[in-house]
Amino acid sequence: MRRSEFDRAVSDEFGPRGAALVADLVLPRVGGRTAREALAAGTPAREVWAALCVEAEVPEDRRYGVGRMDPSRR
């Protein structure tokens, strides 16, 4: 997962509150950091996305493959 895919996934899943979650929600699975801190520290975006999904209780069927652009829209 690229950073742009992470950003798109956050926006698609959480809408306007996504930015606040990325900035404020502490994610134990990435060292007790926020998503923003974990990404800045070099944690892979896919790992941060997975941790965010766990903490925000995103259903598993919406966790994988999200954030990718539809091939027809490229």
Side-chain angles (χ1 to χ4, degrees), residues 26-64:
V26 174
L27 308 172
R29 292 176 179 238
V30 291
R33 300 177 181 143
T34 65
R36 180 180 293 156
E37 292 167 341
L39 291 166
T43 306
R46 168 63 67 190
E47 189 176 330
V48 177
W49 171 247
L52 184 60
C53 287
V54 168
E55 290 305 308
E57 299 179 348
V58 174
E60 286 195 36
D61 64 327
R62 295 200 315 246
R63 294 181 188 186
Y64 303 102

Side-chain angles (χ1 to χ4, degrees), residues 12-34:
D12 289 350
E13 181 62 38
F14 302 111
R17 71 185 185 117
L21 288 174
V22 168
D24 299 332
L25 184 63
V26 174
L27 308 172
R29 292 176 179 238
V30 291
R33 300 177 181 143
T34 65

